[in-house]
Amino acid sequence: MNEEKTGEPTGPEAADGENLPERPRPRRRRRRIVIVVATALLLLFLPLLTAETALRLNYTGDPAKGTHTRDRDALWLGHAWVDGRKTGKDVKALARRLQGTGIRDLYVHSGPLEHDGTLPKSAFPKARWLIKAVHREMPGIRVQAWLGDKLAGETPNGLHLERAATRSAVVASTRRILAAGFEGAHFDLEPLHSGDSDYLSLLDDLRALTHAHHALLSVAAHQIDPLPALHSLAGLTTGHPKWWSQAYFGQVARRVDQIAVMSYDTAQPLQSLYGGYVAQQTSLALEVTPDTTDLLMGLPFYHTDNMGHWAAAETVPAAVRGVRLGLSRTDAGRTRFGVALYVDFAATGADWRAYRKDWVG
């Protein structure tokens, strides 16, 4: 047979494969894969490493003298204070705990709101008793009703701020708690996305109501973008924009008497990084909060461990040092400023001692 007509190599070339395409050697291929993976990891983690380094540097230095309590601090209290579980003995113990501190306001959990914005009277049956007892045992300390609910948006169930009827119901619920004797209304609505105009509209209505009753309007606020437009990026990639823009924070702050930054649950793994983060948040908030509004920075008086909160990192000493550094660098002489302690039922003696030593001074 004539093998040459088949088109197949018939000579020595067929044996040694000199005319076949050269295949990449396994070692060279592995080296290329390693380079590609390393480059991808570097591109992914370099911005994070840069940001964390900046936070660590933000934790350096010494706070300015006098950056201690302005006697405008606040404490979040659990529902047990208005549902009958607490007694006069507990009020006296709380009075002893707060004596000589800078705490002026108590945010007492009196909800939550129903998803339609209503608030059952059964949610705060002992409110009048508590308010009277606090005024007797702790003269000068104000009692505000802490109201909140999960917002719809990221999930189908929740409170719909975009509905006018819901906002009207929230205002009516606030009118009821003021009639019960509370000296203010403190709102914590989450997750609240940056730029939500319905929330601003609600605050306008609530401010008109509270001021007509000579009462306070206060809110728990989300953290501010630690990097420009980070809330937008988080919204696109996760559907949960954790942060507010600094501009939106300022819009909220101008509508309330007090704004308390929830400066915890930061996912920072070290005290130095967490403290640097709090210093940055303090500065960002000070820059846009008007002098007529009390700005409070949250302190973590709880010790849950999860992906968002590392108890060994998010400590009261680290938070207070961060607060003092941010205050020192941005507006050391500001009087309408304080810290807010979250939360009474999870606090330890060490938390209270750190607050007294590092902030009360």
Side-chain angles (χ1 to χ4, degrees), residues 77 79 82 108-112 119-120 123-124 127 144-147 177 182:
L77 294 177
H79 202 81
V82 292
V108 186
H109 191 269
S110 306
L119 180 67
F124 51 97
Q144 301 190 45
W146 166 17
L147 303 176
I177 62 104
F182 284 105

Side-chain angles (χ1 to χ4, degrees), residues 179-195:
F182 284 105
E183 296 158 281
H186 175 79
F187 285 89
D188 178 15
L189 301 174
E190 302 179 51
L192 183 59
H193 293 186
S194 183

Side-chain angles (χ1 to χ4, degrees), residues 117-136:
T118 59
L119 180 67
K121 191 174 182 179
S122 59
F124 51 97
K126 296 294 184 179
R128 290 187 181 277
W129 166 82
L130 175 66
I131 296 167
K132 183 178 179 180
V134 168
H135 289 169
R136 181 181 65 251

Side-chain angles (χ1 to χ4, degrees), residues 50-60 223-228 230 243 246 249 261 263 266 268 272-288 295 297 318-319 321-330 337:
T50 302
E52 295 293 84
T53 301
L55 292 182
R56 180 62 184 87
L57 292 174
N58 213 29
Y59 196 60
T60 60
Q223 297 159 25
I224 301 172
D225 283 334
L227 297 172
L230 188 59
W243 301 274
Q246 190 183 36
F249 186 97
V261 183
S263 41
T266 66
Q268 295 299 325
S272 57
L273 298 179
Y274 172 63
Y277 185 92
V278 172
Q280 181 197 44
Q281 288 292 307
T282 302
S283 292
L284 291 172
L286 281 168
E287 289 171 357
V288 292
L295 171 63
M297 302 303 298
R321 177 173 167 78
V323 167
R324 294 186 63 206
L325 286 169
L327 181 63
S328 300
R329 294 164 183 160
T330 312
F337 183 87

Side-chain angles (χ1 to χ4, degrees), residues 29-341:
R29 187 163 51 225
R30 286 196 298 269
R31 187 182 302 122
R32 290 175 181 172
I33 293 173
V34 170
I35 292 173
V36 170
V37 171
T39 302
L41 290 174
L42 181 63
L43 292 175
L44 178 64
F45 288 107
L46 184 58
L48 177 61
L49 180 61
T50 302
E52 295 293 84
T53 301
L55 292 182
R56 180 62 184 87
L57 292 174
N58 213 29
Y59 196 60
T60 60
D62 295 319
K65 292 182 178 179
T67 50
H68 294 287
T69 186
R70 274 81 166 125
D71 296 322
R72 292 180 178 269
D73 303 333
L75 170 64
W76 278 285
L77 294 177
H79 202 81
W81 292 93
V82 292
D83 67 6
R85 284 178 284 170
K86 295 293 187 178
T87 67
K89 183 178 179 180
D90 296 305
V91 175
K92 290 180 182 295
L94 180 63
R96 290 192 297 271
R97 171 72 75 181
L98 302 187
Q99 187 174 11
T101 70
I103 291 176
R104 184 180 183 186
D105 287 281
L106 302 177
Y107 302 143
V108 186
H109 191 269
S110 306
L113 296 166
E114 301 290 341
H115 288 344
D116 62 0
T118 59
L119 180 67
K121 191 174 182 179
S122 59
F124 51 97
K126 296 294 184 179
R128 290 187 181 277
W129 166 82
L130 175 66
I131 296 167
K132 183 178 179 180
V134 168
H135 289 169
R136 181 181 65 251
E137 301 293 338
M138 295 169 265
I141 290 184
R142 301 174 295 200
V143 185
Q144 301 190 45
W146 166 17
L147 303 176
D149 192 21
K150 179 183 73 173
L151 293 179
E154 296 182 15
T155 59
N157 296 321
L159 191 147
H160 289 264
L161 282 181
E162 74 278 7
R163 298 175 182 172
T166 300
R167 298 196 302 273
S168 295
V170 173
V171 173
S173 296
T174 305
R175 185 177 292 109
R176 290 183 59 198
I177 62 104
L178 295 179
F182 284 105
E183 296 158 281
H186 175 79
F187 285 89
D188 178 15
L189 301 174
E190 302 179 51
L192 183 59
H193 293 186
S194 183
D196 191 323
S197 60
D198 296 314
Y199 182 59
L200 299 181
S201 177
L202 173 63
L203 292 180
D204 288 336
D205 294 339
L206 289 171
R207 184 179 178 89
L209 172 65
T210 53
H211 282 205
H213 286 75
H214 306 287
L216 298 168
L217 174 60
S218 62
V219 295
H222 288 38
Q223 297 159 25
I224 301 172
D225 283 334
L227 297 172
L230 188 59
H231 73 279
S232 298
L233 177 62
L236 289 173
T237 56
T238 69
H240 176 61
K242 173 184 175 70
W243 301 274
W244 286 353
S245 72
Q246 190 183 36
Y248 186 68
F249 186 97
Q251 289 179 296
V252 174
R254 289 191 291 274
R255 287 170 165 81
V256 298
D257 300 299
Q258 297 175 331
I259 185 165
V261 183
M262 295 181 284
S263 41
Y264 34 75
D265 293 343
T266 66
Q268 295 299 325
L270 301 173
Q271 289 192 55
S272 57
L273 298 179
Y274 172 63
Y277 185 92
V278 172
Q280 181 197 44
Q281 288 292 307
T282 302
S283 292
L284 291 172
L286 281 168
E287 289 171 357
V288 292
T289 302
D291 293 337
T292 53
T293 300
D294 286 345
L295 171 63
L296 308 178
M297 302 303 298
L299 301 185
F301 272 46
Y302 66 104
H303 303 272
T304 305
D305 270 311
N306 53 46
M307 290 299 294
H309 177 81
W310 299 50
E314 295 194 12
T315 66
V316 175
V320 170
R321 177 173 167 78
V323 167
R324 294 186 63 206
L325 286 169
L327 181 63
S328 300
R329 294 164 183 160
T330 312
D331 192 357
R334 183 184 174 102
T335 57
R336 302 200 68 162
F337 183 87
V339 295
L341 288 45

